[in-house]
Amino acid sequence: MSYAYPRNIGASTLPSFTPSKSPRTVDHPWSGFPRAAKQWIAEGADSLRTARPRNRHDVRRSAVLVFKRVFTIANAVILLWVLTLWWGERTVFRKSIEACAWENWESWPQDAIPHHVAFIADPQLVDPHTYPGRPWPLSSLTVQYTDQYLRRTFSSIQHDLIPDSVLFLGDLFDGGREWATSTTSSPEDRYANYKDSFWKKEFGRFMKIFLEPWLKQNVSPLDGRGRRLIASLPGNHDLGFAYGIQEPVRDRFEAYFGQGNRVDVIGNHTFISVDTVSLSAMDQPNPQTGSSSSSSNDESLPPPIWKEAADFLDKVPAYRAKAEMDELRMLQKQHDGIQFDYRVVDVKEPAIHDNIPNTPLQLPAILLTHVPLYRKPATPCGPLRERYPPSSATEDLEEDEPNSLRIAGGYQYQNVLTPTISTEVVSKAGPNVVQVYSGDDHDYCELIHREFNGSPNEITVKSISWAMGVRKPGFVMTSLWNPLDPHTGESTLKGSSPTIQNHLCLLPDQLSIFIYYACTLLFTVAVLLMASVYHAFFAPEPPSSNGSLLPLSDRRPDLSKRQYPTSGMSSSTLSGPGGLAGRGGGTVLPRRYSGAQPPQLAYWALDQDDILTTTSKDKGLYRPARAHGFRQKCAHMTGNFVKSIRVVAQVVLPVYLFLIWRW
């Protein structure tokens, strides 16, 4: 077949059309992918197919074409985002948990089989009480991201560290004290619409975040004592504080989580949990009588809110004896066939066998309280406190106000217990209290109480939530090892060897992760905007070394309906849908200029609206037309910028949603 051309155009000017497969064409196996991801993958595959060399002379051209289509600014930004999201949603969490592995800090003898405990403090599930003035949807996003952080970190703790026991130190909810019961209303009018059903939904939310991951990791401890999760210790956000507590609110909490005052033997140590938020009403004036609570003996009034905790402390020696003797029977494998007596007892009081001595076996005692014990003002908390590190890094200060717990109180809270309550708790818990764990402050604090018998060490555990005023949440890991003689129940350790080792495990700084995301977003916008400005205003004209004057495209304009002047040409005019007329069976290109008007060599045969530009729907082998006016260049820049943002977002957003969904 031969072709005829106008006299002023050489034969080399005829464009060669290379048809390509539509980028919307996606094979069936990819049907399960998101639409944006399928289009991105299909366009990349289409680029490779289009650039496939047909002979050895096209190899270099194809390689350059593939390089330009793969190594683009948009693809580089997408790769940056994928790496950033993987770091922020996976790497930092994995590294923080791996750094806290038990073998990294334990120092027991080689044959020791310790019992591992994780202390979790102040999760305080975010609810309408946390940020009452925060509008929607910011409030909903806060709830979503705090829950996701708690679920992800606690799941990692259970999956990677596998503690034998998990103990919560109160403040499970943030507004638990505010939600009405079936018989009471909220103490604040602004929460009057939140009924008992709302609290039950919050309870289900707590179970989903913490109980489900714990149940999935069903691994028996090496010491054979069984796994435990105890969350019955209440905090002031769960019940209130002192006489601010409503008894139905406390009864509801104990009905779902268990008794706040209890004794447990874990890892051959006796754990004594005390409801100190209720006990704190003991040395405060009774609002009903106006006198000191401890001096009121009016039997016509209901029992004061502190009565249950005070009675428990009076009977702690008996409760300890029972729990420790039961543990000794477990060691002797005598737990089967125990004879129980039959008598009427209070449902809130554990049954005590008459044949069990009231003298404990002298296991090391560990005291659990939500509110920290009293200490002198300005008592330092140590170097691990985040918000206010020690004032001096070279010497130990006896007083350091910024580094200490503030001795203060307010509505429904008190930073530390009073000296009277602190002495009452420590003295009645037993003569050998060696360790105290508390919460409430949200930051870490550690000190030795010289004012109490035995000088117990107290650790105030960090909050595990990133919404509680600390940039790096955390929890305390405790390793217990106290081997006992199964016949006598006495410890086999020589001398006064320590039986407890503690370690603060820090969790990722979620706020810093969000800041890093924001910086990456600003960088993305800046890079894509500069690229759009460059292509619109400063990019050089595309070279035409091959002599081709027409756009290289597989999409041909429909010229069959247009009328062109044919002066100076053969009587054979345009024919066929291609808009070309042949002479002797050939075709010619139409002329559309006259007089001294010079032809537009680049697109001389097309109208202005026929100039083809690159769109997301058409990826032909052509170059976009150059815009010559300032407004056209601005429009070209805006279009390229919006398109590049859309291309990046269509890939990055599905990746991000996948990472936060599959935690």
Side-chain angles (χ1 to χ4, degrees):
M1 179 180 296
S2 62
Y3 296 89
Y5 305 93
R7 296 178 181 179
N8 59 342
I9 298 181
S12 61
T13 61
L14 183 66
S16 58
F17 297 98
T18 306
S20 63
K21 190 176 180 180
S22 173
R24 291 183 175 271
T25 304
V26 182
D27 295 334
H28 182 69
W30 304 101
S31 58
F33 279 68
R35 182 177 180 181
K38 290 192 295 185
Q39 182 175 353
W40 188 57
I41 295 173
E43 290 177 358
D46 181 61
S47 299
L48 297 178
R49 287 194 298 267
T50 304
R52 184 181 302 158
R54 287 170 171 75
N55 52 60
R56 66 175 63 181
H57 302 289
D58 293 337
V59 172
R60 183 177 180 181
R61 173 180 172 274
S62 300
V64 173
L65 186 59
V66 170
F67 180 85
K68 289 182 177 181
R69 292 196 174 187
V70 173
F71 296 95
T72 62
I73 294 179
N75 288 347
V77 170
I78 290 173
L79 179 61
L80 172 64
W81 268 109
V82 171
L83 296 177
T84 300
L85 293 176
W86 186 265
W87 167 83
E89 303 299 325
R90 292 292 186 271
T91 304
V92 292
F93 287 90
R94 186 185 69 252
K95 287 186 175 181
S96 64
I97 296 298
E98 289 178 352
C100 299
W102 302 95
E103 59 271 12
N104 292 345
W105 54 271
E106 281 183 320
S107 59
W108 301 119
Q110 188 174 2
D111 58 343
I113 303 178
H115 189 92
H116 295 153
V117 180
F119 286 98
I120 309 296
D122 301 271
Q124 287 189 223
L125 302 186
V126 174
D127 53 31
H129 175 268
T130 309
Y131 303 105
R134 184 164 292 186
W136 186 91
L138 187 57
S139 58
S140 299
L141 290 176
T142 304
V143 172
Q144 178 65 30
Y145 276 99
T146 52
D147 284 7
Q148 175 187 302
Y149 185 92
L150 292 172
R151 184 164 52 247
R152 177 178 293 173
T153 54
F154 192 77
S155 298
S156 300
I157 292 171
Q158 297 303 310
H159 183 269
D160 299 330
L161 300 179
I162 318 179
D164 301 324
S165 298
V166 178
L167 278 66
F168 288 82
L169 296 173
D171 275 358
L172 311 182
F173 309 106
D174 188 66
R177 67 193 179 202
E178 307 294 343
W179 318 134
T181 66
S182 57
T183 58
T184 61
S185 60
S186 174
E188 295 191 45
D189 294 337
R190 56 179 173 174
Y191 302 122
N193 295 329
Y194 295 91
K195 304 301 182 181
D196 183 60
S197 58
F198 184 82
W199 187 94
K200 293 178 180 178
K201 291 180 180 178
E202 295 295 286
F203 172 78
R205 182 175 154 208
F206 180 89
M207 293 292 105
K208 183 177 181 180
I209 294 174
F210 295 106
L211 185 61
E212 289 184 3
W214 185 80
L215 292 175
K216 289 180 181 178
Q217 197 64 32
N218 190 13
V219 179
S220 299
L222 297 178
D223 59 3
R225 304 298 178 86
R227 302 173 66 227
R228 296 190 184 185
L229 187 147
I230 302 176
S232 59
L233 185 68
N236 59 301
H237 281 266
D238 299 318
L239 306 183
F241 190 81
Y243 275 102
I245 298 175
Q246 300 183 78
E247 190 169 354
V249 173
R250 186 177 66 178
D251 293 342
R252 177 180 61 186
F253 184 87
E254 293 180 348
Y256 282 84
F257 289 101
Q259 291 293 317
N261 303 293
R262 57 185 296 158
V263 176
D264 300 276
V265 176
I266 302 175
N268 294 335
H269 291 72
T270 303
F271 285 74
I272 304 169
S273 303
V274 182
D275 176 11
T276 52
V277 294
S278 299
L279 186 65
S280 294
M282 179 181 290
D283 61 351
Q284 292 187 3
N286 191 331
Q288 296 180 356
T289 62
S291 60
S292 175
S293 300
S294 58
S295 60
S296 178
N297 296 320
D298 190 354
E299 296 182 356
S300 62
L301 296 175
I305 201 70
W306 52 267
K307 181 66 173 174
E308 184 177 330
D311 291 344
F312 168 78
L313 285 176
D314 292 336
K315 299 176 182 179
V316 161
Y319 295 155
R320 286 191 61 176
K322 175 188 179 303
E324 292 173 358
M325 289 303 297
D326 287 346
E327 188 70 12
L328 183 60
R329 289 192 181 98
M330 292 288 293
L331 290 175
Q332 298 173 349
K333 302 185 184 301
Q334 296 179 1
H335 54 281
D336 294 329
I338 298 178
Q339 297 295 323
F340 294 95
D341 57 339
Y342 296 89
R343 56 194 177 95
V344 178
V345 297
D346 188 353
V347 294
K348 294 185 177 181
E349 177 181 341
I352 302 176
H353 301 304
D354 294 334
N355 58 345
I356 296 179
N358 291 331
T359 302
L361 296 179
Q362 301 302 318
L363 294 180
I366 297 176
L367 178 63
L368 305 183
T369 169
H370 175 70
V371 183
L373 298 178
Y374 179 80
R375 72 284 312 276
K376 294 180 180 180
T379 301
C381 285
L384 297 180
R385 190 165 178 81
E386 176 185 321
R387 286 177 290 196
Y388 299 100
S391 301
S392 176
T394 58
E395 58 179 339
D396 295 333
L397 302 176
E398 294 184 1
E399 294 186 358
D400 190 356
E401 180 67 28
N403 187 244
S404 65
L405 264 68
R406 189 167 61 95
I407 310 300
Y411 172 73
Q412 297 280 38
Y413 83 93
Q414 191 170 289
N415 289 345
V416 296
L417 300 173
T418 62
T420 301
I421 299 297
S422 300
T423 303
E424 181 87 2
V425 171
V426 176
S427 61
K428 291 186 177 181
N432 57 343
V433 176
V434 297
Q435 181 71 53
V436 180
Y437 295 98
S438 58
D440 186 70
D441 186 66
H442 299 172
D443 204 353
Y444 188 86
C445 183
E446 184 173 2
L447 75 157
I448 297 177
H449 289 281
R450 305 293 183 186
E451 65 273 23
F452 301 127
N453 293 332
S455 300
N457 180 67
E458 180 179 359
I459 293 179
T460 300
V461 181
K462 259 194 168 189
S463 173
I464 197 175
S465 173
W466 69 279
M468 294 297 117
V470 289
R471 293 289 296 271
K472 288 189 175 182
F475 64 101
V476 168
M477 305 170 64
T478 299
S479 181
L480 306 174
W481 186 59
N482 182 33
L484 299 180
D485 186 341
H487 301 289
T488 63
E490 296 180 357
S491 176
T492 59
L493 292 177
K494 298 180 180 179
S496 58
S497 301
T499 61
I500 303 174
Q501 294 181 13
N502 297 298
H503 178 74
L504 172 62
C505 182
L506 295 177
L507 297 173
D509 183 353
Q510 183 65 60
L511 186 58
S512 293
I513 295 175
F514 286 155
I515 293 175
Y516 193 86
Y517 288 170
C519 293
T520 306
L521 179 60
L522 293 177
F523 176 79
T524 298
V525 172
V527 168
L528 296 181
L529 181 60
M530 288 189 295
S532 300
V533 171
Y534 173 78
H535 285 294
F537 291 92
F538 304 104
E541 292 288 345
S544 56
S545 58
N546 58 354
S548 176
L549 298 180
L550 292 180
L552 302 180
S553 173
D554 60 346
R555 200 178 73 182
R556 305 181 183 182
D558 186 4
L559 304 179
S560 60
K561 298 181 181 180
R562 299 181 183 267
Q563 300 295 328
Y564 297 94
T566 58
S567 59
M569 296 181 63
S570 171
S571 59
S572 299
T573 56
L574 299 178
S575 62
L580 301 177
R583 185 171 56 201
T587 59
V588 297
L589 295 176
R591 301 178 61 185
R592 194 166 181 259
Y593 63 92
S594 63
Q597 179 74 19
Q600 301 294 330
L601 295 180
Y603 298 95
W604 69 278
L606 304 177
D607 281 337
Q608 182 65 28
D609 56 357
D610 288 329
I611 296 177
L612 305 180
T613 58
T614 304
T615 64
S616 60
K617 298 181 179 179
D618 194 348
K619 299 292 182 179
L621 299 180
Y622 51 81
R623 297 183 181 274
R626 295 286 296 172
H628 297 286
F630 179 77
R631 293 185 178 181
Q632 289 84 352
K633 290 182 178 181
C634 291
H636 182 65
M637 177 199 69
T638 303
N640 274 350
F641 177 70
V642 172
K643 175 192 170 184
S644 59
I645 289 291
R646 186 185 301 115
V647 169
V648 172
Q650 286 177 347
V651 179
V652 172
L653 288 180
V655 172
Y656 178 62
L657 294 176
F658 175 79
L659 290 177
I660 63 176
W661 172 58
R662 294 298 300 268
W663 44 266

